[in-house]
């Protein structure tokens, strides 16, 4: 049976470190990857385990989604700027020199646009316009937690898994973060 986990929300800054430690309970270990802490069973025979080989994959997926968020926010900022500029132009009347000026103004705006700042500005203005991410086979929830904590402009992350043990592990890891 599928069971949905609540929307994940965290408010701490990302740190790019990875470390490992054994908790007081010898049955679990803790891993810090990126800005997330993950607790997992010490015996790798468990259905939910930590796969260190996937660190680079998780890092790359975070990078690619971040780049997408920046491009998306940049395009939205340019579209909004164009709309405001057209509105101003309509108020001034449609002149030939205004059309040339329009393209130059848009090009100038685009060249000065900082995509990282555009994401932050977009999420401040309209948090509902942020990214919605589905991690359908979340297992321990590590990737989902890192998405939430490390990708700017994320509105919510929906995590899910078929395995009941994975759901329990993900809920524990969300609580630890």
């Amino acid at each position: 049976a599928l069971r949905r986990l609540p929307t994940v929300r965290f408010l701490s800054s990302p740190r790019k470190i990875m470390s490992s430690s054994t908790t007081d309970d010898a049955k679990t270990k803790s891993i810090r990857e990126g800005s997330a802490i993950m607790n997992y069973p010490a015996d790798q025979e468990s259905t939910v385990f930590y796969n260190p080989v996937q660190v680079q994959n998780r890092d790359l997926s975070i990078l690619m989604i971040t780049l997408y968020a920046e491009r998306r926010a940049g395009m939205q900022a340019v579209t909004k700027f164009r709309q405001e500029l057209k509105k101003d132009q309509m108020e001034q009347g449609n002149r030939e020199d205004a059309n040339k000026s329009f393209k130059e103004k848009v090009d100038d705006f685009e060249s000065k646009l900082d995509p990282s700042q555009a994401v932050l500005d977009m999420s401040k203005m309209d948090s509902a316009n942020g990214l919605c991410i589905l991690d359908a086979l979340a297992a321990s929830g590590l990737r989902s937690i890192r998405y939430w904590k490390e990708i700017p402009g994320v509105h919510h992350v929906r995590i899910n898994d078929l395995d009941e043990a994975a759901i329990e592990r993900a809920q524990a890891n969300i609580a630890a973060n």
Side-chain angles (χ1 to χ4, degrees):
L2 293 175
R3 192 165 62 161
R4 288 188 184 149
L5 294 177
T7 298
V8 182
R9 293 186 181 256
F10 300 101
L11 299 173
S12 62
S13 60
R15 291 178 296 262
K16 287 287 180 189
I17 55 174
M18 183 176 165
S19 62
S20 174
S21 66
T22 303
T23 61
D24 294 334
D25 179 7
K27 295 180 182 178
T28 63
K29 288 186 179 180
S30 291
I31 289 286
R32 177 176 290 279
E33 182 183 298
S35 63
I37 297 171
M38 185 191 135
N39 298 312
Y40 68 97
D43 66 341
Q44 287 290 332
E45 302 301 316
S46 171
T47 58
V48 182
F49 59 92
Y50 175 72
N51 186 351
V53 174
Q54 290 298 315
V55 173
Q56 185 177 16
N57 180 292
R58 288 185 287 269
D59 288 344
L60 286 173
S61 66
I62 289 166
L63 175 65
M64 295 310 295
I65 295 171
T66 300
L67 289 172
Y68 167 75
E70 289 177 355
R71 285 192 174 186
R72 178 178 176 252
M75 288 188 301
Q76 288 176 341
V78 169
T79 299
K80 183 178 179 183
F81 181 78
R82 283 178 189 221
Q83 289 170 345
E84 291 171 358
L85 204 54
K86 281 184 182 180
K87 182 181 174 185
D88 291 346
Q89 227 178 22
M90 294 297 267
E91 291 171 0
Q92 294 174 1
N94 196 6
R95 298 181 318 218
E96 187 70 29
D97 62 326
N99 287 336
K100 184 177 181 184
S101 171
F102 179 83
K103 180 161 177 27
E104 290 171 358
K105 287 178 182 177
V106 171
D107 289 345
D108 186 49
F109 178 80
E110 280 186 275
S111 69
K112 294 178 180 175
L113 185 65
D114 176 9
S116 299
Q117 189 60 45
V119 171
L120 297 175
D121 292 345
M122 181 187 71
S123 62
K124 286 178 188 173
M125 290 186 320
D126 183 13
S127 64
N129 195 24
L131 296 175
C132 300
I133 300 173
L134 169 65
D135 190 357
L137 297 172
S140 66
L142 176 60
R143 185 182 306 264
S144 304
I145 294 165
R146 288 193 62 195
Y147 283 170
W148 179 259
K149 293 177 105 176
E150 297 175 29
I151 300 172
V154 172
H155 176 61
H156 74 264
V157 176
R158 175 84 53 188
I159 66 175
N160 195 19
D161 203 288
L162 294 171
D163 186 356
E164 190 69 31
I167 292 170
E168 291 170 11
R169 179 62 50 209
Q171 287 174 328
N173 286 323
I174 289 168
N177 283 277

